[in-house]
Amino acid sequence: MCIAPTQYSLSYTNNHGKAKDRVVRLLDTTLRDGEQMPGISLTPQQKLEIALALAELGVDSIEAGFPITSRGEFEAVKTIAREVRGTEVIALARAEKADIDKVIEAEVPAVHTFIATSDLHMKYKLRMSPGQVIEKAVWAVEYAKSHGLVVEFSAEDATRSNLRFLIKVFQAVVEAGADRIDIPDTVGVAYPSYMSSLVSYVRSSVKGSYILSVHCHNDFGMAVANSVTAIESGADQAHVTVLGVGERAGNAALEEVASALAFLYGYKVKIDFSKINKVAKLVAQHFGLQIPPNKAIVGANAFSHESGIHVHGVLNHPLTYEPIDPSIVGAERRIVVGKHSGKHAIMYVIKQLGYEPREDVVMRLLNKVKDLADRGIRVNQNLLIKLVKEEYGE
Ligand code: MN
């Protein structure tokens, strides 16, 4: 049973008026980190469809892919860069000439180039000295800038890197012309207070003009909390993916980060929230995923109510048990009838079907519903309508 949306103005934010004028950038990487989710491979057509939906949703930047990966990936990135209008398209490249050349060849206007800066990665993966890493990072940024690209530089595994070395790398790439620097929490080991001090430290230590970004992973369920904390501590941009898809436990979920920034903190984001549920469904479909019902903002239960106390409250005033009006995020409020129902939900359903809710009928129906639920039978809308009609002799 859906309740027709009753528009009410948002009256709840936590920001105490301090956040209002800051505009936060969102770089969506559903089509790059998201597609690196184990077992996922999208066709170029599916990638384009998602990119166009993301542009319509209003993200600031779409990371379309990693062009050197495969021929199909290269073509998909090239097509997205050609077809998407009004939103920056960016592509991933290691700090390698061959990778950056592929981005240039795909006619993408922006490159996201990266090299690892943690001792662990430098020693066991790159087999390079810190000096060589800085040299390569600077070379990559200068090379990309000399081809007219917007450059975002990521210090891979930043949250496990030596802090003084990290600052040195960031300072060097900013001086080489990087437009944006990004702090990736590559294996999701940061937690909010740590992220907060790291972001503040980078912001105050690295001199020059640059946009500061974070890229958070969800290995400990902290991706969204770390992202919004980073923004609160002075970062300008967060990397996000729709539904939090991504490597391992995934990335920070776009719908959660954007909603928290806008509705809790009061920052400005350029997202058209009314489209956010539609985009989530499209991504779920192309990734072959079921959206968990309890998923924030876009889950089927995000604005559903069954318990008697909650239904009674919501029917009197929706804000009693909802943080925001579901229609703001393109969702619907649902009243679900079951074991936890009270008479107000039953009365509501009877009225919706055009009958007068007599006390004896309401109580009889409520008992029937609870009996069925106790036997494990889910009382869906069709069954409920049938029960009501039986009571009224139809
Ligand atoms: Mn990642």
Side-chain angles (χ1 to χ4, degrees):
M1 268 297 145
C2 297
I3 300 184
T6 43
Q7 270 285 339
Y8 52 87
S9 61
L10 183 71
S11 58
Y12 176 80
T13 64
N14 258 341
N15 72 43
H16 310 296
K18 64 182 185 233
K20 292 200 174 66
D21 293 325
R22 276 188 65 200
V23 182
V24 178
R25 279 182 60 94
L26 293 172
L27 181 149
D28 181 279
T29 182
T30 304
L31 297 173
R32 201 279 297 168
D33 208 323
E35 205 196 349
Q36 286 171 222
M37 185 170 170
I40 300 295
S41 173
L42 302 172
T43 65
Q45 186 51 41
Q46 288 173 325
K47 289 189 69 135
L48 177 61
E49 211 183 310
I50 292 172
L52 292 170
L54 288 168
E56 230 185 277
L57 181 67
V59 300
D60 296 274
S61 194
I62 297 170
E63 187 164 48
F66 195 178
I68 204 162
T69 309
S70 74
R71 190 73 218 163
E73 178 77 351
F74 172 82
E75 290 300 336
V77 171
K78 191 172 177 181
T79 308
I80 289 168
R82 194 181 61 229
E83 299 291 324
V84 168
R85 290 277 158 265
T87 304
E88 179 191 89
V89 174
I90 190 165
L92 189 69
R94 286 168 297 187
E96 303 278 353
K97 185 170 185 300
D99 287 36
I100 298 170
D101 283 342
K102 276 287 173 202
V103 174
I104 296 165
E105 200 187 325
E107 293 170 47
V108 181
V111 66
H112 174 203
T113 189
F114 70 98
I115 193 163
T117 53
S118 66
D119 290 346
L120 192 73
H121 276 239
M122 289 191 290
K123 187 171 175 196
Y124 293 101
K125 187 184 80 174
L126 298 174
R127 298 182 193 282
M128 286 166 71
S129 71
Q132 289 171 310
V133 165
I134 290 203
E135 206 174 295
K136 206 158 189 198
V138 166
W139 174 86
V141 170
E142 283 174 347
Y143 182 70
K145 285 311 292 181
S146 74
H147 285 82
L149 298 173
V150 170
V151 178
E152 178 158 337
F153 171 83
S154 273
E156 191 186 14
D157 209 18
T159 49
R160 293 191 300 179
S161 297
N162 174 290
L163 201 48
R164 285 177 61 186
F165 179 63
L166 182 66
I167 298 298
K168 216 169 143 186
V169 174
F170 278 152
Q171 189 62 63
V173 296
V174 166
E175 280 164 20
D179 303 280
R180 308 198 289 257
I181 54 174
D182 176 61
I183 302 172
D185 185 23
T186 302
V187 291
V189 292
Y191 45 90
S193 58
Y194 178 79
M195 192 48 113
S196 175
S197 16
L198 181 59
V199 166
S200 311
Y201 189 71
V202 169
R203 180 104 261 178
S204 61
S205 306
V206 179
K207 306 299 174 202
S209 164
Y210 56 89
I211 284 171
L212 181 58
S213 174
V214 291
H215 174 104
C216 299
H217 274 278
N218 206 34
D219 296 75
F220 289 89
M222 297 279 184
V224 171
N226 285 337
S227 302
V228 296
T229 299
I231 297 298
E232 200 183 16
S233 306
D236 312 289
Q237 173 183 278
H239 287 193
V240 290
T241 63
V242 177
L243 297 169
V245 291
E247 300 254 22
R248 306 182 312 282
N251 291 59
L254 183 158
E255 63 280 4
E256 297 177 10
V257 172
S259 299
L261 289 174
F263 305 136
L264 301 183
Y265 290 82
Y267 293 119
K268 290 195 173 77
V269 289
K270 295 185 201 127
I271 297 297
D272 177 354
F273 282 98
S274 68
K275 298 198 167 83
I276 214 158
N277 260 273
K278 208 178 76 186
V279 174
K281 286 194 179 88
L282 177 70
V283 168
Q285 185 197 330
H286 287 338
F287 277 66
L289 304 170
Q290 295 282 341
I291 301 177
N294 59 337
K295 188 91 173 72
I297 310 296
V298 296
N301 286 351
F303 300 97
S304 297
H305 310 277
E306 178 180 319
S307 101
I309 296 164
H310 288 217
V311 169
H312 186 204
V314 162
L315 290 174
N316 288 339
H317 195 299
L319 275 180
T320 51
Y321 288 103
E322 285 173 358
I324 55 170
D325 183 334
S327 68
I328 293 172
V329 290
E332 268 180 343
R333 178 177 308 118
R334 291 191 315 142
I335 301 296
V336 176
V337 171
K339 174 178 157 180
H340 307 98
S341 288
K343 63 181 180 178
H344 292 280
I346 303 290
M347 274 165 65
Y348 171 78
V349 171
I350 292 173
K351 275 193 214 158
Q352 287 282 299
L353 294 171
Y355 300 103
E356 186 56 37
R358 294 198 332 254
E359 180 77 17
D360 59 320
V361 176
V362 170
M363 292 322 288
R364 215 163 34 239
L365 269 171
L366 186 60
N367 287 333
K368 262 190 203 170
V369 164
K370 286 178 188 270
D371 283 347
L372 287 167
D374 279 339
R375 280 153 51 201
I377 298 166
R378 199 176 294 170
V379 185
N380 63 24
Q381 192 158 330
N382 289 339
L383 177 54
L384 188 61
I385 291 171
K386 187 170 160 264
L387 293 175
V388 172
K389 289 196 165 169
E390 274 171 14
E391 281 291 341
Y392 286 88
E394 282 183 30

